[in-house]
Amino acid sequence: MQSHSSEQEGGVALKHYGAMALRWSLVLIFLWYGFMKFTAYEAKGIAPLVMHSPLLSWAYNLLGERGFATALGIVEITIGVLIALRPFSARASGIGSCAAIVAFITTLTFLLTTPGVWQEGYGFPYLSGPIGQFLIKDVVLLAASIWTAGEALAAARMRTA
């Protein structure tokens, strides 16, 4: 019976550290990618994704390559900061995680709109290396965002109840 209890404790600890790893990896990704958006290199890199997107091409056309990238960088940094506020404000972190959900759903639409996502000569389901494989990771990031949003908003609700 003792080993069963220690296994449960180990599972609880892993669950706790896994939750922290999910949240803080989202923070790292949003801050890192957000700050990269202020560089010409990254602005040029995201151009093929956003210029073909029915959701974002209007903003790209309005703001231009660097202006759009800068605006997106500000949004991403804001999302990262909001998620990081979890120790201080579960509500703010939940709002940031909800914004992350929207961000990752948006980037996943690029799988349908960006030329070069599917391996030339093979098509679906063969993802190309540079674009398709880069985008598909957002499925896991979307799932992490959904979990962190649920956790943080449930905690915020418990505090107000």
Side-chain angles (χ1 to χ4, degrees):
M1 211 49 145
Q2 181 103 12
S3 68
H4 181 67
S5 176
S6 62
E7 286 176 11
Q8 281 184 321
E9 289 173 13
V12 169
L14 278 174
K15 183 178 173 182
H16 170 75
Y17 292 121
M20 287 184 6
L22 275 178
R23 178 169 287 108
W24 291 102
S25 62
L26 284 173
V27 170
L28 175 67
I29 288 166
F30 274 105
L31 293 179
W32 199 322
Y33 275 80
F35 281 110
M36 285 176 45
K37 297 295 188 291
F38 292 93
T39 67
Y41 151 81
E42 183 67 8
K44 190 171 286 312
I46 64 169
L49 301 170
V50 296
M51 71 174 44
H52 293 100
S53 168
L55 299 174
L56 299 176
S57 60
W58 66 271
Y60 179 81
N61 292 331
L62 179 69
L63 300 172
E65 187 173 278
R66 289 299 298 268
F68 179 84
T70 298
L72 184 56
I74 292 167
V75 168
E76 290 178 344
I77 291 167
T78 302
I79 292 171
V81 168
L82 285 169
I83 295 171
L85 289 175
R86 175 62 180 91
F88 310 102
S89 173
R91 183 168 163 46
S93 185
I95 291 168
S97 292
C98 287
I101 292 167
V102 172
F104 290 124
I105 288 172
T106 301
T107 60
L108 285 169
T109 67
F110 297 161
L111 287 167
L112 304 173
T113 61
T114 305
V117 166
W118 308 108
Q119 185 63 41
E120 190 174 324
Y122 290 91
F124 179 85
Y126 301 96
L127 292 166
S128 68
I131 301 171
Q133 292 178 25
F134 168 75
L135 291 172
I136 201 67
K137 69 162 177 14
D138 286 1
V139 171
V140 172
L141 296 172
L142 171 61
S145 300
I146 292 167
W147 185 88
T148 59
E151 185 282 329
L153 293 174
R157 184 172 221 195
M158 285 180 19
R159 287 187 185 146
T160 60

